Structures are given as C-alpha cells and as structure tokens.
Amino acid sequence: MMNMDSLSSRSVEVLQASLSPDPNIRHQAEAAIKEICDQPGFLSVLFRITMEESIPFGIRQSASILMKNEVLAKWAKFSFDPSTDSRKRLPSQYSAEEQNFVRGNLINGMLHVPHQLRPILGITFSTIAYADFPSQWQDLFSVLLQNAQSNDPAVIFISCYCIRQLFKKFELQYKKKELFHNMISQTMPVLLKVFTDISSIDNAQSVEIQALICKIFYSTLSVGIPPYLLQGDVFLSWLQLLMTVYSRDVPVAQNVQESEIYHSNPWWKAQKWCIQI
C-alpha cells in the first residue's frame, strides 16, 4: 500500500503521461492508473490534484474527470433483493474518512476551480448527494442554504448551482417524490428571499444567479405542483418575480452575432427559463 505522498506523486506522473501525444506512453499510463485506482486515498488524491493551482490545467482536468468516473462507478453500489423488490446498498470500498473528506470539501471546492472544471465536479457532487442524502449527508442542505444567504455572490452562485444539480437528479424520481417535496419545502423559501433581494440588481453576476433559481423552480414542478407552492400567496410571489425577470430588457453588446447572444447572454438565459416555466 502506498503512502499518500507517494500516491499523490505517482498520480500526477501518470496523469501527465496520459496526456502524451505518444499512444504507447498513453497506454502505459492507462495501465498504471488501473493499478493505483484501488489504493486507499486515491479519490482524495484526485480531489487535491484538481484543486492544486500549481499543477498544470490539463492534469487537473484529467484528475477531475477520473474522479467523476470513479464516483459514478464505485461510490454507491447496490444489490437487488427480489423478495422485497428493493435495492440494498452494499458497503463502500471507500473508507468513512475518505468519504467524509470528499463530502466535506466538494461544495467549497467548486468555488475555487476554473469554470471549465465546475460541470465535472457538478456531476461528482450530484452523484454523491443523490446516493448519500439524507442518511449519510445529513447537513447537506443546512450547508447549501447557509451559503445561499452569504453576502458573497460567488458563494451564492455555487450554492444555487449545487441545488440545481441535485434537483435535476430528483425531479423525475417519482418514487422519491415525498423526499423531493421535503427538499423543496426547505429550499425554496430561502431562494425566494435570495431572488427577491437580488432581483433589482441588474448585473451579469446577479442575473446568472437568477437564471439558476429559475431552473431550480422549473424542477420543482416536474412531478406536479408541490405542497409548498400551494401555501397562501407563495405561488403568486414566485410568479411576480418571474414576470419581473421576463419583462426586463436584454442588454446586447455591440458587434455580437445573434447566435452568440442566445448562447452566452445571462439575461436571455434567465428569460428563456421563465418562458419554459
């Protein structure tokens, strides 16, 4: 068994080799990855490599992709019990310490990586959160909702981004409808306040957060109108905010092609989701 320093050095070495234009070197690197991927602490090492600013971007990107693939394949495995027509989760190959490390650092990690790596970490997050919440990640929503009420727009954005990724996993899971509705009841009152507070701030950073909240709201309607929205004037309050976003003028920079406006303009993206709702 390799110690953490040796495992980290070896991982950086083989990840760098995996980017070689020489196919022979790449094949050797892929074989080496298979040899070390079951070492204790490998997932933590991949996360640390992804976060390390001194490491070249290509290696960090490779580490993040490998970490995502490892999580998709190994984080939560199940066996089917035909007698009860249900699945039973098998013991994880990752230690409790390693699981806690990844869960405890993943959300904050998305705040500090280059934006190109965020979607990769987003898949890693949603896979782990979907498997572990609520039984093994009990404080997940308290962390996300606390971050959503931060004074730092970047922290709010990452919190909303994580909620969006998780809601996408639950929105079509009818068997988990009750859990999803409980998640909505916890989350949406906080996001309604956030949305209200930033709706008058007409800059790109604010509008990107507003677009994410629109996407989250869209997910809440995937299995019908949730009980939360049927309380008092809650639904009306949301619709009024959505109409504010929809009726806002979309600023367009000069010398920008029309297709680029629809692809990258956050004001347009927010209005698009209002229309979908």
Side-chain angles (χ1 to χ4, degrees):
M1 185 175 70
M2 302 173 69
N3 63 44
M4 291 298 286
D5 288 339
S6 298
L7 182 59
S8 181
S9 299
R10 180 59 175 157
S11 298
V12 171
E13 179 183 312
V14 298
L15 287 170
Q16 186 172 23
S18 72
L19 302 174
S20 171
D22 186 331
N24 293 322
I25 295 177
R26 289 201 308 272
H27 292 155
Q28 292 172 9
E30 291 164 3
I33 289 172
K34 291 179 181 179
E35 291 178 1
I36 64 174
C37 68
D38 290 328
Q39 287 281 335
F42 182 62
L43 202 64
S44 301
V45 164
L46 291 177
F47 179 81
R48 289 188 173 98
I49 293 171
T50 301
M51 299 304 302
E52 181 52 60
E53 295 181 0
S54 64
I55 293 176
F57 175 79
I59 297 175
R60 296 174 67 187
Q61 184 178 45
S62 295
S64 68
I65 293 171
L66 183 54
M67 179 173 69
K68 177 205 64 169
N69 293 341
E70 287 286 302
V71 166
L72 286 170
K74 302 175 182 178
W75 187 271
K77 292 184 177 181
F78 297 85
S79 64
F80 182 73
D81 185 352
S83 64
T84 60
D85 192 30
S86 62
R87 298 192 310 165
K88 179 181 179 181
R89 186 165 177 174
L90 301 175
S92 175
Q93 75 174 62
Y94 301 117
S95 67
E97 181 183 5
E98 187 162 23
Q99 291 181 70
N100 289 334
F101 172 81
V102 174
R103 282 192 294 256
N105 290 280
L106 190 53
I107 295 172
N108 189 56
M110 278 188 271
L111 187 63
H112 300 289
V113 295
H115 68 89
Q116 299 96 325
L117 303 186
R118 190 176 299 143
I120 304 169
L121 292 184
I123 295 172
T124 303
F125 164 79
S126 63
T127 302
I128 294 173
Y130 183 74
D132 290 1
F133 178 79
S135 59
Q136 293 172 269
W137 201 348
Q138 296 178 2
D139 66 341
L140 171 60
F141 271 87
S142 62
V143 172
L144 290 176
L145 296 180
Q146 181 179 353
N147 289 353
Q149 299 171 83
S150 168
N151 293 322
D152 185 343
V155 175
I156 298 173
F157 179 88
I158 291 300
S159 176
C160 291
Y161 182 81
C162 289
I163 293 170
R164 165 62 175 163
Q165 296 304 310
L166 185 55
F167 273 31
K168 283 171 65 179
K169 295 284 284 188
F170 277 92
E171 63 184 11
L172 298 178
Q173 299 295 324
Y174 192 81
K175 291 184 178 179
K176 296 189 176 183
K177 179 179 177 180
E178 184 176 351
L179 174 59
F180 188 35
H181 282 171
N182 289 336
M183 292 161 58
I184 291 170
S185 297
Q186 289 183 61
T187 306
M188 300 312 288
V190 174
L191 294 187
L192 178 61
K193 184 179 185 306
V194 173
F195 202 169
T196 302
D197 290 344
I198 68 174
S199 61
S200 60
I201 303 174
D202 196 22
N203 61 38
Q205 193 172 40
S206 170
V207 175
E208 285 177 349
I209 296 171
Q210 293 173 49
L212 272 176
I213 295 176
C214 289
K215 293 179 183 181
I216 294 168
F217 185 83
Y218 178 82
S219 291
T220 68
L221 303 174
S222 60
V223 290
I225 299 176
Y228 157 74
L229 288 177
L230 298 177
Q231 300 172 10
D233 295 332
V234 172
F235 209 160
L236 178 61
S237 298
W238 276 100
L239 292 179
Q240 288 172 338
L241 280 171
L242 294 170
M243 284 302 300
T244 299
V245 174
Y246 177 71
S247 60
R248 186 184 293 144
D249 291 335
V250 176
V252 179
Q254 294 182 348
N255 302 320
V256 176
Q257 294 182 353
E258 185 175 357
S259 60
E260 183 63 21
I261 295 172
Y262 299 136
H263 176 71
S264 62
N265 188 304
W267 285 265
W268 167 249
K269 289 182 179 180
Q271 290 191 355
K272 180 191 76 171
W273 281 97
C274 289
I275 293 171
Q276 289 190 246
I277 293 167

